[in-house]
Amino acid sequence: MTDHLTSLRLSRRSLLAGSAALTIASFSGVSAFAQAPAGGDIVFLINSLGDTWIPNNSAISSFQGHIWGHVSDKLVYVDVDGTPSPWLAESWEQNDTATEFTLKLKSGVTFSDATPLDAAAVIANLDIWYAGRTDDGINPIGLFPKTYDHAEAVDPLTVKVVFKAPTLGFIPTLGYHGSILISPKTLATPATEQADLSKTAGSGPYVVDSWKEGDFVKLMKRADYNWGPAAVGHTGPAFLDSITYKLVAEQSLRVAAVQAGQADIAYNASPQELQSLQEAGFTVATPRYLGFVNGWAINTKLAPYNDVKVRQALQVAINRQEIIDTVYTPDWKLATSFIQSNVPGATDHSALLAYDAAKAEALLDEAGWVKGADGIRVKDGVELLLTLHSNPYLATSKSVDELIAQQLGRIGWKVEIRAYDVVTFGEKVHCAGDTIPAYEVTRSFIDAGTVAGILTDANKGENWFNLGESDARINDLRDQIAGAGSLEVRAPLLDELKAYVLEQGYFIPRTQIVQRIYVQSPEVKGVVYNGVAYASYYAATKGTA
């Protein structure tokens, strides 16, 4: 891709040269890391900027999602407690069966290309979230309801959305980070054009000033913006003039730059550094998002994980408290199910996750796996092997894998660990892939009802455990959850589904997830974290601490 600006370069020497100024190529006559006046400019150091800017394909990225959250808006705002509130949809109504929803839109909203954000624009977004354009390389949004039928304009500012079946999670999902509103003019362009971030028009408080692939993105505030979510306490233009997201792959360099006052935010610092950074006066944030805990989706088609006893042994062979005590800090919490405990409607299944090495040994004995002289269990001449692919989206993933490998080794597993960068991981490692026994999940969602829709392959579900339609009980629970017309009916079904998935060893939780770790200059104030733990600098300011 053509460079959109001279590359901004950070060297290890310049970042670690004590009090020496950070060497960086200037643009527009101003250094990206120059000290800005209060309310001026901030620099956010991030460890990846992904491999595409096609909105549908990149909006849910743990990295690009930060940028999309500032150049685009959503119909609904969802806070850290999972509570939806009006944003560009000022109000909504639903019928008694949760199959039809009517959205009333805020007037006067425009995209940065001057296109009005009206009913037609919302329908264009709903349609592409649901279906994508797969022939053109544009993916559907994974957790957008698969029960979507169509949407129609009642009038220029009113949209009626129709579903084929009850869809209780529709309104909360409008606050999901994949549900970003993009100009219909952009959506109509080929994927090759959508991949050029400078050509994408959103309705957010910032616009793309300049960018270079694999290097940085600089955003400038939009002076005419006046439709922020009331829930954050501000609706007019952003206070900060610019936000620059700069790629710095090495964790220590990101933190060192913030410590030296050469940048304002370091993303994904090491948990072990957080206490000392806090004591030194830096702001540390470890928000939990609404979604799945960190854990493994087990491929039930691959031996020996097609054996329920092996999966159950794996479930109780992991000492989860040791993971928190060794790798993390008290900011991290024990998994109590396979969804986060802060998700509305979450229930506690801790008893199914209790560490019990003796039970794990007994289950493997029953399954015919016998310990050899080297401590590795063998059956029919084959070693008990678990290959783990550390998730590059989570800075601590490899450390957790290494600790779990020690725990499982004492039970009789042979564990191999493979680590790739973000791009290679995306190419080689796929949930339920032919050679992937355990796929590490770090994924957010807004409404717990979406869980049932991805566990099997019904209605184009994601089939996490490679079950297809083979498990009648999970199919029945899935269908009852999908057909529930009220939260009261759905809640006990979800509870039963979660218990069953854990009992069968289909999902192996590790810890509750803190995927997004922020170390921030004390000069930056007013940062807000939403339901999927993204930091919003829309209402933030910068000034003397």
Side-chain angles (χ1 to χ4, degrees):
M1 178 178 291
T2 303
D3 291 358
H4 296 271
L5 192 68
T6 302
S7 172
L8 301 176
R9 301 199 181 279
L10 292 170
S11 70
R12 181 180 182 88
R13 178 177 298 174
S14 64
L15 274 169
L16 301 180
S19 61
L22 181 65
T23 303
I24 186 168
S26 296
F27 59 96
S28 303
V30 181
S31 168
F33 289 81
Q35 289 297 312
D41 311 289
I42 62 170
V43 175
F44 183 115
L45 302 184
I46 196 164
N47 44 316
S48 175
L49 285 171
D51 60 348
T52 181
W53 284 103
I54 297 170
N56 267 36
N57 299 11
S58 61
I60 65 170
S61 163
S62 294
F63 305 114
Q64 291 127 297
H66 291 279
I67 288 85
W68 287 121
H70 289 91
V71 301
S72 65
D73 293 320
K74 299 180 182 69
L75 290 163
V76 169
Y77 183 82
V78 176
D79 66 15
V80 293
D81 298 316
T83 303
S85 60
W87 190 348
L88 297 189
E90 287 191 314
S91 63
W92 51 83
E93 298 175 355
Q94 71 179 59
N95 66 0
D96 292 340
T97 57
T99 55
E100 293 183 4
F101 296 78
T102 302
L103 310 175
K104 297 286 187 179
L105 306 178
K106 187 174 290 187
S107 64
V109 180
T110 60
F111 294 98
S112 57
D113 62 3
T115 302
L117 200 159
D118 57 11
V122 169
I123 292 168
N125 278 272
L126 292 169
D127 286 348
I128 201 164
W129 296 343
Y130 169 68
R133 288 206 311 268
T134 53
D135 291 345
D136 192 24
I138 299 173
N139 299 332
I141 299 299
L143 291 184
F144 187 76
K146 296 173 177 63
T147 50
Y148 177 75
D149 186 86
H150 72 279
E152 56 195 60
V154 176
D155 60 46
L157 291 177
T158 307
V159 180
K160 181 179 179 182
V161 187
V162 180
F163 293 89
K164 302 167 190 171
T167 308
L168 290 169
F170 174 57
I171 294 299
T173 299
L174 295 178
Y176 180 59
H177 56 303
S179 305
I180 57 171
L181 293 163
I182 300 296
S183 169
K185 291 182 180 178
T186 298
L187 297 181
T189 62
T192 51
E193 287 191 40
Q194 291 190 30
D196 184 343
L197 186 58
S198 66
K199 295 181 178 178
T200 295
S203 63
Y206 287 87
V207 296
V208 177
D209 174 77
S210 49
W211 74 289
K212 177 177 170 55
E213 187 171 19
D215 190 353
F216 74 95
V217 177
K218 182 182 180 184
L219 308 179
M220 296 295 293
K221 79 173 180 180
R222 185 176 168 185
D224 64 344
Y225 186 85
N226 193 31
W227 43 82
V232 305
H234 179 55
T235 58
F239 298 124
L240 293 168
D241 294 319
S242 75
I243 308 171
T244 298
Y245 291 89
K246 169 65 185 168
L247 175 61
V248 177
E250 190 171 334
Q251 185 183 86
S252 62
L253 297 187
R254 297 193 299 275
V255 173
V258 173
Q259 289 175 307
Q262 300 161 342
D264 301 285
I265 301 100
Y267 188 52
N268 282 349
S270 167
Q272 284 76 28
E273 297 179 274
L274 299 185
Q275 183 175 346
S276 61
L277 288 164
Q278 214 162 8
E279 291 170 352
F282 295 94
T283 303
V284 169
T286 55
R288 284 186 300 154
Y289 62 39
L290 303 165
F292 295 97
V293 301
N294 175 243
W296 300 320
I298 301 299
N299 187 344
T300 61
K301 287 287 178 64
L302 282 182
Y305 303 99
N306 55 349
D307 185 334
V308 64
K309 290 186 183 296
V310 174
R311 299 195 303 269
Q312 290 171 335
L314 186 60
Q315 189 74 281
V316 297
I318 296 173
N319 186 334
R320 294 167 175 89
Q321 186 63 56
E322 186 181 23
I323 295 172
I324 290 176
D325 294 342
T326 305
V327 179
Y328 293 119
T329 73
D331 290 319
W332 276 255
K333 299 180 183 299
L334 282 170
T336 58
S337 183
F338 71 90
I339 67 172
Q340 302 269 81
S341 63
N342 58 330
V343 173
T347 47
D348 191 329
H349 298 100
S350 301
L352 297 173
L353 306 176
Y355 173 57
D356 191 336
K359 182 177 179 180
E361 298 256 20
L363 284 164
L364 291 175
D365 289 342
E366 291 171 21
W369 293 92
V370 179
K371 270 190 179 179
D374 59 357
I376 301 298
R377 290 179 180 267
V378 177
K379 180 179 180 181
D380 299 330
V382 178
E383 292 181 321
L384 182 60
L385 174 66
L386 179 62
T387 302
L388 302 177
H389 297 82
S390 300
N391 190 332
Y393 290 96
L394 187 64
T396 53
S397 179
K398 190 168 185 290
S399 297
V400 174
D401 284 345
E402 290 169 347
L403 178 58
I404 290 177
Q406 295 174 23
Q407 296 175 353
L408 296 181
R410 294 192 287 269
I411 306 296
W413 257 280
K414 178 179 180 179
V415 181
E416 295 180 351
I417 300 172
R418 298 174 186 170
Y420 302 119
D421 61 26
V422 169
V423 174
T424 309
F425 181 87
E427 293 171 347
K428 291 180 175 290
V429 184
H430 301 282
C431 190
D434 291 342
T435 61
I436 309 298
Y439 182 83
E440 186 182 338
V441 172
T442 52
R443 180 150 175 200
S444 59
F445 59 77
I446 295 296
D447 181 76
T450 60
V451 170
I454 64 175
L455 301 186
T456 70
D457 59 3
N459 298 315
K460 300 181 180 178
E462 297 178 22
N463 199 21
W464 274 19
F465 315 128
N466 216 350
L467 290 168
E469 294 291 292
S470 63
D471 187 323
R473 186 172 177 194
I474 204 171
N475 296 343
D476 180 55
L477 288 168
R478 173 201 68 204
D479 294 342
Q480 288 190 67
I481 289 166
S486 71
L487 294 176
E488 291 74 19
V489 170
R490 194 181 73 175
L493 297 169
L494 277 169
D495 182 63
E496 186 178 348
L497 174 71
K498 288 177 281 187
Y500 181 67
V501 165
L502 296 175
E503 288 167 351
Q504 293 298 305
Y506 291 150
F507 192 101
I508 310 293
R510 300 179 353 155
T511 68
Q512 293 202 47
I513 180 69
V514 175
Q515 186 176 0
R516 317 192 211 287
I517 304 171
Y518 304 85
V519 174
Q520 181 176 285
S521 164
E523 294 187 4
V524 180
K525 308 287 188 183
V527 182
V528 175
Y529 302 92
N530 65 12
V532 286
Y534 281 115
S536 170
Y537 299 97
Y538 161 58
T541 59
K542 181 179 176 181
T544 304

